[in-house]
Amino acid sequence: MAERARRMRVEVDRDLCEANEVCVAMAPAVFELDDEEELRISSPDVPEGEIERVTQAVASCPRNALLIRE
Ligand code: SF4
């Protein structure tokens, strides 16, 4: 049987996020700040090659503002 591709979706709780860029530094291909200095998730459906970095960024968010849906 073929192995199922890993899928991960990441979301931000804007009430908790303080835009301190910890996640941006760890996974810049997925997280960025927009012109209003608000966090923007450029790839909410996380590419397989970014899963490790995004997992670490989620665990490192000092506000616990990132949520993973698998
Ligand atoms: S690490 Fe957390 S608080 Fe900081 S910008 Fe990312 S989601 Fe927001």
Side-chain angles (χ1 to χ4, degrees):
M1 195 156 85
E3 195 178 313
R4 264 183 35 189
R6 286 175 75 193
R7 294 193 56 177
M8 179 199 274
R9 204 175 153 79
V10 63
E11 297 172 6
V12 61
D13 183 332
R14 297 204 175 278
D15 292 337
L16 293 176
C17 177
E18 61 183 14
N20 55 31
E21 294 189 86
V22 172
C23 58
V24 178
M26 296 183 84
V30 173
F31 303 108
E32 63 186 6
L33 291 194
D34 66 15
D35 294 342
E36 323 262 272
E37 301 282 298
E38 293 231 326
L39 184 70
R40 185 174 165 269
I41 301 181
S42 49
S43 297
D45 287 312
V46 180
E48 188 142 6
E50 293 292 325
I51 286 178
E52 196 71 38
R53 272 185 283 271
V54 169
T55 301
Q56 287 175 5
V58 170
S60 301
C61 172
R63 302 279 299 158
N64 281 331
L66 295 171
L67 309 167
I68 288 177
R69 310 227 183 265
E70 286 182 86

